[in-house]
Amino acid sequence: MTPSWLPVVGEATDNVFYAIACNGHGLAQGPYLGALLADRLAGDDPHEDLRTLWRRRPWFSPSPASSATAVRAAWAVDRLSDRLSQREG
């Protein structure tokens, strides 16, 4: 939950964008924020709603858990788990 009850949108690092803290309204706000971010990535001027929620710098430090290596390792473990569960069933 954010103090303002508004989501937070921004750019964590170059070409890594985030839209978080929909405060329990993610089903409604998530697709809308995703569309606004997609428009920005496509080169359109940021929508007024996106400018309102935009943070110039993230409120969090980069996590090693979100590095490319960590994401690939998690994906590999998930794939292995799927294959092992298929053999059991």
Side-chain angles (χ1 to χ4, degrees), residues 4-66:
S4 66
W5 287 75
L6 294 172
V8 179
V9 183
E11 187 172 9
T13 61
D14 290 339
N15 296 322
V16 177
F17 296 86
Y18 62 90
I20 57 174
C22 289
N23 302 304
H25 301 285
L27 279 173
Q29 292 178 352
Y32 179 63
L33 292 174
L36 295 179
L37 278 174
D39 290 345
R40 184 181 183 283
L41 290 170
D44 294 348
D45 289 333
H47 188 277
E48 180 181 343
D49 291 345
L50 190 62
R51 286 194 306 265
T52 300
L53 303 173
W54 193 264
R55 299 292 177 238
R56 293 181 191 214
R57 57 180 183 245
W59 292 357
F60 48 86
S61 58
S63 168
S66 62

